[in-house]
mmCIF file of all heavy atoms in Angstrom:
data_model
loop_
_atom_site.group_PDB
_atom_site.id
_atom_site.type_symbol
_atom_site.label_atom_id
_atom_site.label_comp_id
_atom_site.label_asym_id
_atom_site.label_seq_id
_atom_site.Cartn_x
_atom_site.Cartn_y
_atom_site.Cartn_z
ATOM 1 N N PRO A 95 39.309 4.092 -37.970
ATOM 2 C CA PRO A 95 39.824 2.978 -38.782
ATOM 3 C C PRO A 95 41.166 2.480 -38.238
ATOM 4 O O PRO A 95 41.840 3.190 -37.476
ATOM 5 C CB PRO A 95 40.010 3.612 -40.164
ATOM 6 C CG PRO A 95 40.211 5.070 -39.900
ATOM 7 C CD PRO A 95 39.362 5.378 -38.693
ATOM 8 N N LEU A 96 41.541 1.276 -38.644
ATOM 9 C CA LEU A 96 42.878 0.772 -38.327
ATOM 10 C C LEU A 96 43.861 1.345 -39.349
ATOM 11 O O LEU A 96 43.497 1.606 -40.498
ATOM 12 C CB LEU A 96 42.934 -0.761 -38.410
ATOM 13 C CG LEU A 96 42.036 -1.585 -37.490
ATOM 14 C CD1 LEU A 96 42.472 -3.046 -37.532
ATOM 15 C CD2 LEU A 96 42.050 -1.082 -36.070
ATOM 16 N N SER A 97 45.104 1.504 -38.940
ATOM 17 C CA SER A 97 46.153 1.840 -39.910
ATOM 18 C C SER A 97 46.454 0.575 -40.721
ATOM 19 O O SER A 97 46.051 -0.537 -40.338
ATOM 20 C CB SER A 97 47.416 2.291 -39.184
ATOM 21 O OG SER A 97 48.009 1.187 -38.524
ATOM 22 N N SER A 98 47.168 0.729 -41.825
ATOM 23 C CA SER A 98 47.479 -0.440 -42.661
ATOM 24 C C SER A 98 48.309 -1.465 -41.876
ATOM 25 O O SER A 98 48.102 -2.674 -41.992
ATOM 26 C CB SER A 98 48.214 -0.016 -43.938
ATOM 27 O OG SER A 98 49.344 0.756 -43.608
ATOM 28 N N ALA A 99 49.250 -0.987 -41.044
ATOM 29 C CA ALA A 99 50.082 -1.909 -40.253
ATOM 30 C C ALA A 99 49.229 -2.668 -39.237
ATOM 31 O O ALA A 99 49.428 -3.868 -39.003
ATOM 32 C CB ALA A 99 51.185 -1.131 -39.534
ATOM 33 N N GLN A 100 48.253 -1.989 -38.642
ATOM 34 C CA GLN A 100 47.383 -2.648 -37.661
ATOM 35 C C GLN A 100 46.492 -3.701 -38.329
ATOM 36 O O GLN A 100 46.229 -4.750 -37.740
ATOM 37 C CB GLN A 100 46.518 -1.615 -36.945
ATOM 38 C CG GLN A 100 47.283 -0.783 -35.929
ATOM 39 C CD GLN A 100 46.409 0.284 -35.296
ATOM 40 O OE1 GLN A 100 45.525 0.846 -35.959
ATOM 41 N NE2 GLN A 100 46.640 0.586 -34.037
ATOM 42 N N LYS A 101 46.021 -3.403 -39.544
ATOM 43 C CA LYS A 101 45.186 -4.400 -40.255
ATOM 44 C C LYS A 101 45.946 -5.704 -40.420
ATOM 45 O O LYS A 101 45.410 -6.796 -40.213
ATOM 46 C CB LYS A 101 44.792 -3.869 -41.638
ATOM 47 C CG LYS A 101 43.658 -2.866 -41.615
ATOM 48 C CD LYS A 101 43.369 -2.362 -43.022
ATOM 49 C CE LYS A 101 42.489 -1.128 -42.977
ATOM 50 N NZ LYS A 101 42.461 -0.408 -44.248
ATOM 51 N N ARG A 102 47.230 -5.576 -40.808
ATOM 52 C CA ARG A 102 48.064 -6.773 -41.024
ATOM 53 C C ARG A 102 48.164 -7.581 -39.733
ATOM 54 O O ARG A 102 47.996 -8.796 -39.729
ATOM 55 C CB ARG A 102 49.446 -6.321 -41.505
ATOM 56 C CG ARG A 102 50.427 -7.448 -41.767
ATOM 57 C CD ARG A 102 51.693 -6.935 -42.431
ATOM 58 N NE ARG A 102 52.590 -6.239 -41.517
ATOM 59 C CZ ARG A 102 52.927 -4.961 -41.620
ATOM 60 N NH1 ARG A 102 52.436 -4.217 -42.585
ATOM 61 N NH2 ARG A 102 53.762 -4.413 -40.766
ATOM 62 N N LEU A 103 48.413 -6.885 -38.616
ATOM 63 C CA LEU A 103 48.587 -7.581 -37.340
ATOM 64 C C LEU A 103 47.279 -8.146 -36.808
ATOM 65 O O LEU A 103 47.267 -9.210 -36.193
ATOM 66 C CB LEU A 103 49.177 -6.631 -36.294
ATOM 67 C CG LEU A 103 50.647 -6.268 -36.418
ATOM 68 C CD1 LEU A 103 51.135 -5.643 -35.127
ATOM 69 C CD2 LEU A 103 51.504 -7.466 -36.729
ATOM 70 N N PHE A 104 46.185 -7.436 -37.043
ATOM 71 C CA PHE A 104 44.878 -7.892 -36.549
ATOM 72 C C PHE A 104 44.543 -9.250 -37.170
ATOM 73 O O PHE A 104 44.081 -10.169 -36.483
ATOM 74 C CB PHE A 104 43.800 -6.865 -36.899
ATOM 75 C CG PHE A 104 42.484 -7.121 -36.205
ATOM 76 C CD1 PHE A 104 42.272 -6.676 -34.914
ATOM 77 C CD2 PHE A 104 41.469 -7.813 -36.851
ATOM 78 C CE1 PHE A 104 41.063 -6.917 -34.267
ATOM 79 C CE2 PHE A 104 40.248 -8.058 -36.220
ATOM 80 C CZ PHE A 104 40.055 -7.602 -34.914
ATOM 81 N N ILE A 105 44.789 -9.368 -38.463
ATOM 82 C CA ILE A 105 44.539 -10.647 -39.152
ATOM 83 C C ILE A 105 45.478 -11.714 -38.612
ATOM 84 O O ILE A 105 45.061 -12.837 -38.298
ATOM 85 C CB ILE A 105 44.719 -10.483 -40.687
ATOM 86 C CG1 ILE A 105 43.637 -9.539 -41.244
ATOM 87 C CG2 ILE A 105 44.675 -11.823 -41.393
ATOM 88 C CD1 ILE A 105 43.939 -8.988 -42.628
ATOM 89 N N TYR A 253 47.900 8.591 -32.297
ATOM 90 C CA TYR A 253 47.984 7.548 -33.333
ATOM 91 C C TYR A 253 46.745 7.511 -34.221
ATOM 92 O O TYR A 253 46.834 7.313 -35.426
ATOM 93 C CB TYR A 253 48.198 6.176 -32.679
ATOM 94 C CG TYR A 253 48.495 5.103 -33.704
ATOM 95 C CD1 TYR A 253 49.785 4.912 -34.165
ATOM 96 C CD2 TYR A 253 47.483 4.304 -34.228
ATOM 97 C CE1 TYR A 253 50.075 3.934 -35.118
ATOM 98 C CE2 TYR A 253 47.764 3.329 -35.183
ATOM 99 C CZ TYR A 253 49.058 3.159 -35.625
ATOM 100 O OH TYR A 253 49.329 2.203 -36.575
ATOM 101 N N TYR A 256 46.905 9.662 -37.225
ATOM 102 C CA TYR A 256 47.716 9.059 -38.298
ATOM 103 C C TYR A 256 46.894 8.054 -39.093
ATOM 104 O O TYR A 256 46.928 8.032 -40.327
ATOM 105 C CB TYR A 256 48.947 8.401 -37.664
ATOM 106 C CG TYR A 256 49.662 7.392 -38.536
ATOM 107 C CD1 TYR A 256 50.459 7.793 -39.607
ATOM 108 C CD2 TYR A 256 49.553 6.026 -38.272
ATOM 109 C CE1 TYR A 256 51.120 6.860 -40.395
ATOM 110 C CE2 TYR A 256 50.218 5.088 -39.048
ATOM 111 C CZ TYR A 256 50.996 5.509 -40.107
ATOM 112 O OH TYR A 256 51.648 4.572 -40.882
ATOM 113 N N ALA A 257 46.122 7.205 -38.378
ATOM 114 C CA ALA A 257 45.312 6.176 -39.051
ATOM 115 C C ALA A 257 44.269 6.824 -39.968
ATOM 116 O O ALA A 257 44.032 6.354 -41.088
ATOM 117 C CB ALA A 257 44.634 5.282 -38.017
ATOM 118 N N GLN A 260 45.951 8.385 -43.038
ATOM 119 C CA GLN A 260 46.337 7.377 -44.050
ATOM 120 C C GLN A 260 45.255 7.191 -45.112
ATOM 121 O O GLN A 260 45.540 6.736 -46.208
ATOM 122 C CB GLN A 260 46.604 6.026 -43.368
ATOM 123 C CG GLN A 260 48.037 5.838 -42.946
ATOM 124 C CD GLN A 260 48.362 4.368 -42.741
ATOM 125 O OE1 GLN A 260 47.507 3.551 -42.370
ATOM 126 N NE2 GLN A 260 49.591 3.994 -42.990
ATOM 127 N N GLN A 261 44.012 7.521 -44.757
ATOM 128 C CA GLN A 261 42.916 7.338 -45.710
ATOM 129 C C GLN A 261 42.618 8.614 -46.497
ATOM 130 O O GLN A 261 41.704 8.628 -47.326
ATOM 131 C CB GLN A 261 41.660 6.878 -44.964
ATOM 132 C CG GLN A 261 41.870 5.548 -44.243
ATOM 133 C CD GLN A 261 40.575 4.928 -43.774
ATOM 134 O OE1 GLN A 261 39.556 5.598 -43.637
ATOM 135 N NE2 GLN A 261 40.593 3.629 -43.533
ATOM 136 N N HIS A 265 47.306 11.366 -49.141
ATOM 137 C CA HIS A 265 48.136 10.213 -48.788
ATOM 138 C C HIS A 265 47.913 9.070 -49.782
ATOM 139 O O HIS A 265 48.873 8.412 -50.198
ATOM 140 C CB HIS A 265 47.826 9.750 -47.361
ATOM 141 C CG HIS A 265 48.737 8.648 -46.897
ATOM 142 N ND1 HIS A 265 50.046 8.873 -46.528
ATOM 143 C CD2 HIS A 265 48.542 7.309 -46.773
ATOM 144 C CE1 HIS A 265 50.603 7.725 -46.196
ATOM 145 N NE2 HIS A 265 49.715 6.759 -46.322
ATOM 146 N N ARG A 266 46.654 8.838 -50.170
ATOM 147 C CA ARG A 266 46.372 7.752 -51.114
ATOM 148 C C ARG A 266 47.029 8.024 -52.474
ATOM 149 O O ARG A 266 47.499 7.099 -53.138
ATOM 150 C CB ARG A 266 44.852 7.570 -51.302
ATOM 151 C CG ARG A 266 44.072 7.093 -50.103
ATOM 152 C CD ARG A 266 44.644 5.861 -49.414
ATOM 153 N NE ARG A 266 44.850 4.722 -50.287
ATOM 154 C CZ ARG A 266 45.516 3.618 -49.951
ATOM 155 N NH1 ARG A 266 46.058 3.507 -48.756
ATOM 156 N NH2 ARG A 266 45.668 2.625 -50.802
ATOM 157 N N ILE A 269 50.632 7.061 -52.089
ATOM 158 C CA ILE A 269 50.747 5.597 -52.070
ATOM 159 C C ILE A 269 50.589 5.047 -53.489
ATOM 160 O O ILE A 269 51.263 4.093 -53.888
ATOM 161 C CB ILE A 269 49.684 4.984 -51.118
ATOM 162 C CG1 ILE A 269 49.994 5.362 -49.666
ATOM 163 C CG2 ILE A 269 49.582 3.479 -51.265
ATOM 164 C CD1 ILE A 269 51.345 4.915 -49.174
ATOM 165 N N MET A 370 51.968 1.504 -33.697
ATOM 166 C CA MET A 370 52.539 0.539 -34.635
ATOM 167 C C MET A 370 52.675 1.204 -36.014
ATOM 168 O O MET A 370 51.691 1.475 -36.689
ATOM 169 C CB MET A 370 51.619 -0.694 -34.717
ATOM 170 C CG MET A 370 51.969 -1.671 -35.817
ATOM 171 S SD MET A 370 53.685 -2.210 -35.750
ATOM 172 C CE MET A 370 53.702 -3.389 -37.102
ATOM 173 N N PHE A 371 53.922 1.487 -36.412
ATOM 174 C CA PHE A 371 54.180 2.135 -37.699
ATOM 175 C C PHE A 371 54.977 1.248 -38.656
ATOM 176 O O PHE A 371 55.118 1.566 -39.827
ATOM 177 C CB PHE A 371 54.969 3.436 -37.483
ATOM 178 C CG PHE A 371 54.206 4.486 -36.712
ATOM 179 C CD1 PHE A 371 54.345 4.601 -35.339
ATOM 180 C CD2 PHE A 371 53.341 5.352 -37.359
ATOM 181 C CE1 PHE A 371 53.640 5.565 -34.618
ATOM 182 C CE2 PHE A 371 52.631 6.316 -36.646
ATOM 183 C CZ PHE A 371 52.786 6.415 -35.285
ATOM 184 N N VAL A 372 55.520 0.158 -38.148
ATOM 185 C CA VAL A 372 56.462 -0.651 -38.924
ATOM 186 C C VAL A 372 55.821 -1.197 -40.202
ATOM 187 O O VAL A 372 54.685 -1.669 -40.192
ATOM 188 C CB VAL A 372 56.984 -1.834 -38.072
ATOM 189 C CG1 VAL A 372 57.842 -2.777 -38.893
ATOM 190 C CG2 VAL A 372 57.785 -1.304 -36.894
ATOM 191 N N ASN A 373 56.566 -1.111 -41.288
ATOM 192 C CA ASN A 373 56.170 -1.755 -42.541
ATOM 193 C C ASN A 373 57.255 -2.773 -42.895
ATOM 194 O O ASN A 373 58.365 -2.712 -42.367
ATOM 195 C CB ASN A 373 56.022 -0.711 -43.656
ATOM 196 C CG ASN A 373 55.320 -1.267 -44.890
ATOM 197 O OD1 ASN A 373 54.666 -2.323 -44.836
ATOM 198 N ND2 ASN A 373 55.435 -0.589 -46.002
ATOM 199 N N ASP A 406 56.391 3.675 -47.779
ATOM 200 C CA ASP A 406 55.061 3.885 -47.200
ATOM 201 C C ASP A 406 54.007 2.954 -47.800
ATOM 202 O O ASP A 406 52.905 2.850 -47.272
ATOM 203 C CB ASP A 406 54.610 5.339 -47.404
ATOM 204 C CG ASP A 406 55.480 6.314 -46.623
ATOM 205 O OD1 ASP A 406 55.847 5.971 -45.485
ATOM 206 O OD2 ASP A 406 55.811 7.388 -47.150
ATOM 207 N N TYR A 407 54.345 2.292 -48.914
ATOM 208 C CA TYR A 407 53.352 1.423 -49.558
ATOM 209 C C TYR A 407 53.182 0.164 -48.711
ATOM 210 O O TYR A 407 54.128 -0.582 -48.494
ATOM 211 C CB TYR A 407 53.811 1.067 -50.974
ATOM 212 C CG TYR A 407 52.755 0.311 -51.753
ATOM 213 C CD1 TYR A 407 51.560 0.922 -52.108
ATOM 214 C CD2 TYR A 407 52.945 -1.023 -52.126
ATOM 215 C CE1 TYR A 407 50.576 0.240 -52.800
ATOM 216 C CE2 TYR A 407 51.976 -1.718 -52.836
ATOM 217 C CZ TYR A 407 50.793 -1.075 -53.168
ATOM 218 O OH TYR A 407 49.822 -1.757 -53.860
ATOM 219 N N PRO A 408 51.975 -0.103 -48.212
ATOM 220 C CA PRO A 408 51.788 -1.215 -47.270
ATOM 221 C C PRO A 408 52.073 -2.578 -47.915
ATOM 222 O O PRO A 408 51.602 -2.869 -49.019
ATOM 223 C CB PRO A 408 50.312 -1.107 -46.868
ATOM 224 C CG PRO A 408 49.909 0.294 -47.214
ATOM 225 C CD PRO A 408 50.717 0.653 -48.425
ATOM 226 N N PHE A 409 52.818 -3.387 -47.186
ATOM 227 C CA PHE A 409 53.207 -4.709 -47.695
ATOM 228 C C PHE A 409 51.988 -5.549 -48.066
ATOM 229 O O PHE A 409 51.965 -6.214 -49.104
ATOM 230 C CB PHE A 409 54.047 -5.437 -46.632
ATOM 231 C CG PHE A 409 54.385 -6.852 -47.016
ATOM 232 C CD1 PHE A 409 55.331 -7.114 -47.995
ATOM 233 C CD2 PHE A 409 53.740 -7.931 -46.422
ATOM 234 C CE1 PHE A 409 55.632 -8.418 -48.366
ATOM 235 C CE2 PHE A 409 54.032 -9.231 -46.780
ATOM 236 C CZ PHE A 409 54.989 -9.475 -47.755
ATOM 237 N N GLU A 410 50.926 -5.493 -47.222
ATOM 238 C CA GLU A 410 49.753 -6.350 -47.497
ATOM 239 C C GLU A 410 49.041 -5.928 -48.787
ATOM 240 O O GLU A 410 48.458 -6.769 -49.479
ATOM 241 C CB GLU A 410 48.791 -6.383 -46.309
ATOM 242 C CG GLU A 410 48.263 -5.054 -45.810
ATOM 243 C CD GLU A 410 49.275 -4.285 -44.981
ATOM 244 O OE1 GLU A 410 50.391 -4.790 -44.739
ATOM 245 O OE2 GLU A 410 48.946 -3.157 -44.596
ATOM 246 N N GLU A 411 49.112 -4.634 -49.134
ATOM 247 C CA GLU A 411 48.514 -4.193 -50.405
ATOM 248 C C GLU A 411 49.307 -4.737 -51.585
ATOM 249 O O GLU A 411 48.743 -5.098 -52.616
ATOM 250 C CB GLU A 411 48.443 -2.652 -50.469
ATOM 251 C CG GLU A 411 47.360 -2.077 -49.569
ATOM 252 C CD GLU A 411 47.079 -0.596 -49.828
ATOM 253 O OE1 GLU A 411 47.257 -0.137 -50.985
ATOM 254 O OE2 GLU A 411 46.669 0.096 -48.878
#
Side-chain angles (χ1 to χ4, degrees):
L96 299 192
S97 70
S98 54
Q100 286 177 325
K101 282 178 194 165
R102 180 172 76 243
L103 286 195
F104 191 83
I105 294 163
Y253 188 84
Y256 162 75
Q260 270 200 330
Q261 299 193 340
H265 185 75
R266 294 310 306 170
I269 293 301
M370 170 54 177
F371 295 94
V372 174
N373 193 17
D406 294 321
Y407 187 66
F409 175 73
E410 56 283 357
E411 286 192 30

